[in-house]
Amino acid sequence: MDGLTVRAGAGAGVRSVARIVARDDGRGGTSLPVLESDGPLALRRTRSTGPEARVMLVGAMSGPLGGDHFTVEGRVEEGARLSVGSAAATIALPGQAKGDARYDVRLDVADHGELHWLPEQLISARGSDLHVATRVELAATARLVLREEQVLGRVGEEPGRLTSRLTVRVAGQAVLDQELACGPGAPGGWDGPAVLAGYQAVGQLVVVRPEFGAEPVTARVLGEGASVVPLAGPAALVTAVAPDALLLRRLLDEALASLQQT
């Protein structure tokens, strides 16, 4: 299959967990002593030419169905470097019966570790109901680049219900805790000028670096539809909206490039 398909339906419910542990190998590289996945979640190590390990999350089968709960757990140990992506977009689809699906991501980065979490976009198709929760715990000297992209509906269709929560903590202190609810049943105004302003695609980019604590980024507009703000800690948040996934990715890539130059 081309990606991870998420269908909201009915049933007894399936629990599926994927686990990644990245460890400094002592030779200038990163090993993966734990790379476990089952059911609809499949993890594959890909080739890397640098000190980081690269992992791809692919869809081994359809899911989760309504009542299912999928979890991805990633830990980067001290001094290790890990980059995680996905093979294709995740598509939330309706099932034959009412019900929601849940997808949790739990990430932990130790001191002097670095994580790039760069999945492909999540597409909320009409009639679906998906709850996504991402929680990141970082040590004081850890580094992070995390990208989230949501596309509300496929071409020419209304979106499903999507609730997405993102929490990032550095040295035990919250630097970001936000939730976005879109689609049928979401609080009023989600598609209004204060939130999505009628756009179909929305994304976030969180960059955490120790040097941002001493020299915070400057809040500014990054072209049409994107902005960057400093967070209460060594972190910056980019938020972008766009009419489609292609333009959204371009905005976030340009934002990341600008932050890497600071």
Side-chain angles (χ1 to χ4, degrees):
M1 58 184 297
D2 294 333
L4 178 61
T5 301
V6 181
R7 293 193 181 94
V14 174
R15 299 296 182 266
S16 182
V17 179
R19 296 185 176 91
I20 311 168
V21 175
R23 180 175 297 163
D24 184 349
D25 66 7
R27 304 187 302 274
T30 298
S31 64
L32 297 173
V34 177
L35 193 65
E36 302 173 347
S37 55
D38 59 17
L41 300 176
L43 297 172
R44 300 288 184 266
R45 181 164 190 168
T46 59
R47 179 172 299 184
S48 174
T49 58
E52 69 179 10
R54 293 179 178 268
V55 174
M56 192 70 65
L57 178 63
V58 301
M61 62 183 72
S62 296
L65 300 170
D68 291 354
H69 189 171
F70 287 3
T71 303
V72 179
E73 299 175 352
R75 173 166 174 77
V76 180
E77 297 184 352
E78 186 170 354
R81 299 178 64 180
L82 175 65
S83 178
V84 180
S86 58
T90 296
I91 306 175
L93 294 170
Q96 295 181 352
K98 293 183 178 180
D100 63 2
R102 302 191 67 87
Y103 202 118
D104 290 338
V105 178
R106 304 286 181 258
L107 306 172
D108 192 337
V109 187
D111 276 313
H112 307 292
E114 184 169 350
L115 172 64
H116 288 209
W117 188 264
L118 303 169
E120 294 301 309
Q121 65 267 22
L122 168 64
I123 301 172
S124 175
R126 181 178 180 179
S128 63
D129 188 353
L130 178 64
H131 294 252
V132 180
T134 301
R135 186 177 68 213
V136 188
E137 294 281 349
L138 302 166
T141 59
R143 294 172 176 267
L144 172 73
V145 176
L146 181 147
R147 182 184 68 213
E148 285 192 344
E149 298 169 309
Q150 293 96 25
V151 179
L152 306 178
R154 293 167 294 189
V155 176
E157 78 171 1
E158 295 296 318
R161 172 70 182 269
L162 174 64
T163 303
S164 177
R165 184 169 183 176
L166 173 59
T167 305
V168 179
R169 293 165 57 90
V170 179
Q173 301 297 315
V175 299
L176 179 66
D177 190 351
Q178 69 175 21
E179 182 173 286
L180 177 65
C182 303
W190 64 268
D191 55 350
V195 186
L196 297 187
Y199 287 108
Q200 189 179 14
V202 58
Q204 303 70 237
L205 182 72
V206 181
V207 180
V208 179
R209 296 180 186 168
E211 53 265 35
F212 285 170
E215 298 182 12
V217 302
T218 302
R220 60 191 186 276
V221 175
L222 301 172
E224 185 177 354
S227 64
V228 59
V229 295
L231 299 176
L237 171 67
V238 176
T239 302
V241 293
D244 56 52
L246 182 63
L247 182 53
L248 178 66
R249 176 65 59 84
R250 186 181 306 163
L251 289 171
L252 293 178
D253 284 349
E254 291 174 354
L256 180 58
S258 72
L259 288 173
Q260 291 173 334
Q261 295 172 359
T262 59

